[in-house]
């Protein structure tokens, strides 16, 4: 399981793009590792672990995409009519660079088979034969999907909207940020619903205002941390800066509210890779030093 944890960032790079969301991608990673923990005895050789985890993650992501009707799964056809461009090294590098720079959400505009092949080849640099094995395709079909996906991604990027501008913070998030930056821990605890839940990847879920209130006690002992409102994939979140002079956040958290009280906190402190490839739009950055 320690080795599996070490694969989390790589799994997330795949799942986030497959889902078109860094947040949904992390949910798939967590589901994958939970399933791996239950079925770990099925792994007979350590060398099987990486491919096995990617297959679990791939299948879990497809299940979620189908159930949510984000995009209907298309038939993965055997297509052998696309030439092999692997020998054109400069073109390969250019296409890989474009895929790596592309915003995560844009991958959702690709058909699922093309999306999977493109991420595995151009983002994770997997060999064609291993991609074929993972997706139950022939190598020629992988090449065909890859060529089509690259062409479509270039079209998507050419017509993509300009990066969204910062927006005004909601009253509830602004209050949370202000109280935190003022170190008003009692004020923050007063915002918690009695049945509030706190989720941090790799840790048991905390439930109830008394237990979740300890979350603020931990931050009370850390100097320099401050918050700012932000937007991630259209969702209002909270950016966490770990030193008073930091220009970029280290991670984010987001809150759910019910009747003006916090009902759920999702803290990404232990999975900082979640925002590594994300389009994070920061709100006002004023804080109390």
């Amino acid at each position: 399981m320690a080795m599996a944890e070490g694969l989390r960032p790589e799994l997330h790079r795949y799942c986030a793009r497959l889902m078109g969301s860094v947040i949904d991608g992390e949910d798939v990673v967590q589901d994958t590792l939970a399933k791996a923990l239950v079925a770990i005895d099925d792994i007979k050789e350590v060398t099987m672990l990486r491919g096995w985890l990617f297959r679990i993650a791939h299948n879990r992501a497809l299940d979620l995409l189908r159930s949510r009707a984000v995009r209907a799964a298309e038939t993965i056809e055997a297509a052998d009519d696309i030439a092999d461009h692997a020998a054109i090294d400069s073109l390969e590098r250019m296409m890989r660079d474009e895929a790596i720079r592309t915003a995560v959400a844009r991958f959702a505009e690709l058909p699922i088979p093309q999306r999977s092949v493109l991420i595995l080849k151009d983002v994770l640099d997997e060999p064609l034969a291993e991609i074929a094995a993972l997706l139950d395709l022939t190598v020629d079909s992988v090449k065909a999907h890859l060529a089509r996906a690259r062409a479509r991604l270039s079209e998507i990027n050419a017509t993509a909207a300009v990066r969204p501008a910062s927006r005004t913070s909601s009253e509830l998030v602004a209050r949370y940020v202000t109280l935190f930056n003022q170190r008003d821990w009692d004020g923050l605890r007063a915002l918690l619903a009695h049945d509030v839940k706190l989720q941090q990847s790799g840790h048991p879920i905390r439930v109830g205002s008394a237990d979740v209130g300890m979350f603020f006690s931990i931050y009370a002992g850390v100097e320099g941390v401050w918050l700012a409102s932000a937007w991630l994939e259209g969702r209002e979140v909270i950016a966490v800066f770990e030193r008073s002079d930091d220009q970029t956040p280290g991670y984010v958290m987001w809150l759910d509210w019910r009747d003006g009280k916090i009902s759920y906190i999702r803290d990404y402190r232990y999975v900082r890779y979640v925002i590594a490839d994300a389009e994070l739009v920061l709100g006002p950055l004023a804080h109390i030093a």
Side-chain angles (χ1 to χ4, degrees), residues 90-169:
S90 60
L91 181 60
E92 284 283 310
R93 285 194 297 271
M94 181 182 70
M95 290 176 171
R96 288 200 63 211
D97 288 345
E98 180 174 21
I100 291 170
R101 291 194 307 268
T102 296
V104 168
R106 294 180 198 166
F107 284 85
E109 299 183 45
L110 295 171
I112 291 173
Q114 293 180 19
R115 197 185 316 174
S116 299
V117 168
L118 182 70
I119 300 164
L120 289 167
K121 184 67 179 76
D122 284 357
V123 178
L124 298 176
D125 197 23
E126 293 293 309
L128 294 176
E130 293 187 16
I131 297 172
L134 173 63
L135 302 179
D136 294 324
L137 295 170
T138 65
V139 171
D140 284 339
S141 293
V142 169
K143 294 175 184 177
H145 286 305
L146 181 61
R148 293 169 180 168
R150 284 171 169 172
R152 177 64 184 132
L153 189 67
S154 292
E155 294 174 359
I156 292 168
N157 284 335
T159 59
V162 177
R163 182 182 176 88
S166 177
R167 292 178 281 180
T168 302
S169 305

Side-chain angles (χ1 to χ4, degrees), residues 21-247:
S21 163
V22 295
I23 291 176
D24 291 344
E26 177 59 17
D27 290 340
V28 173
V29 171
Q30 289 208 93
D31 290 347
T32 297
L33 294 181
K35 185 171 183 178
L37 181 61
V38 172
I40 197 68
D41 289 340
D42 293 339
I43 293 294
K44 305 303 180 185
E45 299 178 27
V46 173
T47 54
M48 298 169 54
L49 180 64
R50 187 175 184 278
W52 182 67
L53 286 173
F54 267 89
R55 183 172 291 276
I56 293 174
H58 176 79
N59 291 335
R60 176 57 179 157
L62 291 191
D63 286 345
L64 289 173
L65 287 169
R66 289 169 180 143
S67 66
R68 296 174 187 176
V70 172
R71 183 179 294 273
E74 66 179 36
T75 301
I76 301 181
E77 74 280 6
D80 304 325
D81 57 336
I82 304 297
D84 181 8
H85 298 290
I88 311 175
D89 294 338
S90 60
L91 181 60
E92 284 283 310
R93 285 194 297 271
M94 181 182 70
M95 290 176 171
R96 288 200 63 211
D97 288 345
E98 180 174 21
I100 291 170
R101 291 194 307 268
T102 296
V104 168
R106 294 180 198 166
F107 284 85
E109 299 183 45
L110 295 171
I112 291 173
Q114 293 180 19
R115 197 185 316 174
S116 299
V117 168
L118 182 70
I119 300 164
L120 289 167
K121 184 67 179 76
D122 284 357
V123 178
L124 298 176
D125 197 23
E126 293 293 309
L128 294 176
E130 293 187 16
I131 297 172
L134 173 63
L135 302 179
D136 294 324
L137 295 170
T138 65
V139 171
D140 284 339
S141 293
V142 169
K143 294 175 184 177
H145 286 305
L146 181 61
R148 293 169 180 168
R150 284 171 169 172
R152 177 64 184 132
L153 189 67
S154 292
E155 294 174 359
I156 292 168
N157 284 335
T159 59
V162 177
R163 182 182 176 88
S166 177
R167 292 178 281 180
T168 302
S169 305
S170 68
E171 182 178 345
L172 293 173
V173 167
R175 177 164 176 72
Y176 182 94
V177 167
T178 298
L179 290 172
F180 190 104
N181 290 342
Q182 292 176 343
R183 301 300 190 260
D184 187 349
W185 310 118
D186 288 337
L188 287 170
R189 292 187 184 96
L191 292 178
L192 299 175
H194 73 279
D195 57 349
V196 62
K197 294 181 180 179
L198 166 66
Q199 183 174 359
Q200 295 174 300
S201 296
H203 292 71
I205 295 178
R206 293 178 180 266
V207 181
S209 56
D211 197 17
V212 175
M214 296 297 296
F215 178 65
F216 301 121
S217 299
I218 294 171
Y219 275 110
V222 181
E223 294 291 334
V225 177
W226 61 281
L227 309 182
S229 60
W231 285 264
L232 178 64
E233 299 173 345
R235 184 199 303 261
E236 188 175 22
V237 297
I238 295 168
V240 183
F241 296 77
E242 298 180 271
R243 291 186 297 272
S244 60
D245 58 349
D246 277 353
Q247 300 300 307

Side-chain angles (χ1 to χ4, degrees), residues 267-288:
D267 179 45
Y268 291 91
R269 179 180 184 182
Y270 300 108
V271 286
R272 296 161 186 257
Y273 55 76
V274 167
I275 64 168
D277 299 318
E279 284 191 316
L280 187 69
V281 180
L282 294 173
L285 296 181
H287 69 286
I288 296 176

